[in-house]
Amino acid sequence: MSTPAQKSRPPLLAVDGGMLVATLLTLAGYLLPWFRKGSGYQWSFSGWAYASLSDGGGWTLLTFGWLLVAAGAALLARGSTAAAMTGMVAAVGTLVTSLAVVAASFAVVGEQTALNPVAQLPFGVGLPVMAAGLGLLLATSCRAIVRCESHVRRASGVPEGPPGPTVSSI
């Protein structure tokens, strides 16, 4: 027979669906077109465009590595605080590397004659989708950390909530 603390312990392979969906949404946004140099250009800037270059994507492929770590963390995040925290680190890593790739893409566009050249670029759906996915990945990673820590507190008998007066007692 198992003890009550063992019964309430979540299984090790417990997928956090929110983190997994957020990772896939971020991946989709990274792969979808972000913008083109102009309306006459066929080639769009995107993670897919960099990854499919004939000489390889180089350092831009780091974003895929971070997303792979995030997906792996999502598979374990409901049962492990370490996995949930790894998901947070992967979310920040994805944010930094994808931001660098997008910034480098804007630098390639060069100076244009318009006062606001960015506003004149034909944009795709990739950047907003990636932003939504990254925001969701950060939020679900935070939630997974809190959920795991709350479960550990309950299992060890530590009362939940901050010490001191509550809102209802004030």
Side-chain angles (χ1 to χ4, degrees):
M1 266 194 144
S2 61
T3 65
Q6 289 174 333
K7 283 184 182 178
S8 64
R9 191 163 155 210
L12 181 60
L13 183 60
V15 178
D16 187 312
M19 281 179 68
L20 195 56
V21 166
T23 302
L24 295 175
L25 189 62
T26 304
L27 176 63
Y30 189 72
L31 295 176
L32 289 169
W34 305 328
F35 61 89
R36 293 189 311 251
K37 246 182 168 177
S39 57
Y41 287 83
Q42 293 296 319
W43 193 80
S44 291
F45 289 92
S46 70
W48 176 254
Y50 284 114
S52 63
L53 291 173
S54 60
D55 57 350
W59 66 272
T60 65
L61 298 176
L62 289 172
T63 306
F64 293 111
W66 284 117
L67 287 169
L68 185 62
V69 170
L75 297 177
L76 305 170
R78 286 186 67 104
S80 166
T81 302
M85 291 175 71
T86 300
M88 177 63 82
V89 170
V92 172
T94 302
L95 178 64
V96 170
T97 57
S98 63
L99 180 62
V101 175
V102 172
S105 299
F106 278 122
V108 170
V109 171
E111 193 170 327
Q112 307 222 349
T113 57
L115 291 175
N116 187 1
V118 173
Q120 305 302 320
L121 293 174
F123 273 88
V125 71
L127 285 177
V129 170
M130 185 169 54
L134 282 167
L136 186 60
L137 184 55
L138 286 167
T140 55
S141 296
C142 286
R143 181 199 63 202
I145 292 168
V146 170
R147 179 189 297 141
C148 286
E149 286 303 305
S150 174
H151 185 274
V152 167
R153 284 176 162 241
R154 269 186 270 129
S156 65
V158 175
E160 290 190 46
T166 62
V167 174
S168 62
S169 67
I170 297 178

